[in-house]
Amino acid sequence: MSALSQAFRAERIKLTTLRSLWLPPLLAVLLTAGATTAVGAALGDVDHNITDDPGVGVFYGLNFGQAALVAFGVLLIGQEFNTRMIDVSLAAVPRPGRLYGAKLALGALIGLGAGAAGTAGAYAGYAATVPADWHGPAFARAATAGVLYPAFLVVFCLGVTALFGNLTAAMGLLTPAVFLLSPLLSGVPGLREVFQFLPDRAGQYALRYADDPQLVYGHWTGLAIMALWTALAAYGGLRAMRRRTK
């Protein structure tokens, strides 16, 4: 077994033994599928916002599920910073890049799993409650984005947390940015042109079926923008990890 495989196995064991780590992805799936189903059952016949663009209705629950995904990405490395257990982890895996890479790989895999399960559950719940044609040519793209978005979000949050080296600081930045500042300010004229390039805004556009003439990029480009932000955050976290261990 390679050193990286051993580091990944150690991270996987942490995930399965610490409730604070394995509960958020499970909660993300339940919220994503459950909220979509509940809203579809309650408003599917009267609210055209969730039927005119099926992507809005299908992924309505992701607005709630991503809260748990942000928490998971931060906790995956942040709690070790706050408890100083990162020193123990680095003693067991002396190369910070290897330890960090194992955490990134685990976060990405869990994010993909949560994305696949949440997307499948959301589509099933939407189809069972909303009398709308949610198939069409945009289905494959939106479903793909639904699987990838959670993985990108988890890795992005993990990278930002590693960059700060502090759980509280990362949670204090990411939570309001994703749930308050980004959605609200992206609708303000003059700021929309800038905030449309934020990772969550760009990534969520790939979930939609309809085009938005106010955005200067397409659906797939939105997903690519989020992927770029994710790569930058992951690289920044790696540089910070290496700098702290010198």
Side-chain angles (χ1 to χ4, degrees):
M1 183 181 294
S2 68
L4 181 59
S5 298
Q6 291 177 336
F8 179 83
R9 181 173 180 271
E11 294 302 319
R12 179 175 56 80
I13 292 173
K14 290 179 189 177
L15 175 70
T16 56
T17 54
L18 294 175
R19 183 180 299 177
S20 61
L21 290 182
W22 61 260
L23 273 181
L26 177 61
L27 183 60
V29 173
L30 294 176
L31 286 172
T32 299
T36 292
T37 304
V39 169
L43 302 175
D45 293 330
V46 296
D47 190 347
H48 295 290
N49 290 324
I50 64 173
T51 55
D52 290 346
D53 185 339
V56 175
V58 170
F59 293 104
Y60 185 90
L62 187 58
N63 294 310
F64 304 94
Q66 67 179 355
L69 294 171
V70 170
F72 175 64
V74 173
L75 288 170
L76 198 54
I77 192 171
Q79 64 179 0
E80 293 191 44
F81 283 122
N82 277 33
T83 60
R84 301 310 307 168
M85 284 300 294
I86 193 68
D87 297 329
V88 178
S89 296
L90 286 170
V93 185
R95 297 184 64 177
R98 184 177 296 159
L99 174 66
Y100 183 64
K103 289 182 178 294
L104 286 178
L106 181 64
L109 285 175
I110 297 299
L112 285 172
T119 297
Y123 269 108
Y126 188 80
T129 57
V130 179
D133 181 13
W134 49 266
H135 296 82
F139 168 74
R141 185 251 304 144
T144 300
V147 174
L148 294 178
Y149 179 89
F152 286 153
L153 185 61
V154 168
V155 173
F156 175 79
C157 293
L158 195 158
V160 170
T161 307
L163 189 60
F164 279 100
N166 185 284
L167 182 151
T168 306
M171 196 73 80
L173 170 69
L174 291 168
T175 302
V178 172
F179 303 111
L180 292 175
L181 293 178
S182 180
L184 292 177
L185 296 181
S186 61
V188 177
L191 295 178
R192 182 187 299 117
E193 291 76 14
V194 176
F195 278 80
Q196 65 179 300
F197 291 100
L198 290 179
D200 60 312
R201 295 294 92 195
Q204 288 185 21
Y205 183 48
L207 304 172
R208 305 294 180 250
Y209 280 46
D211 295 329
D212 186 344
Q214 295 181 337
L215 298 183
V216 298
Y217 51 78
H219 296 283
W220 283 115
T221 304
L223 194 62
I225 291 172
M226 186 179 188
L228 178 59
W229 274 101
T230 301
L232 289 173
Y235 178 70
L238 175 61
R239 292 290 300 270
M241 287 281 291
R242 287 175 172 171
R243 186 172 61 251
R244 293 189 188 97
T245 54
K246 285 184 178 179

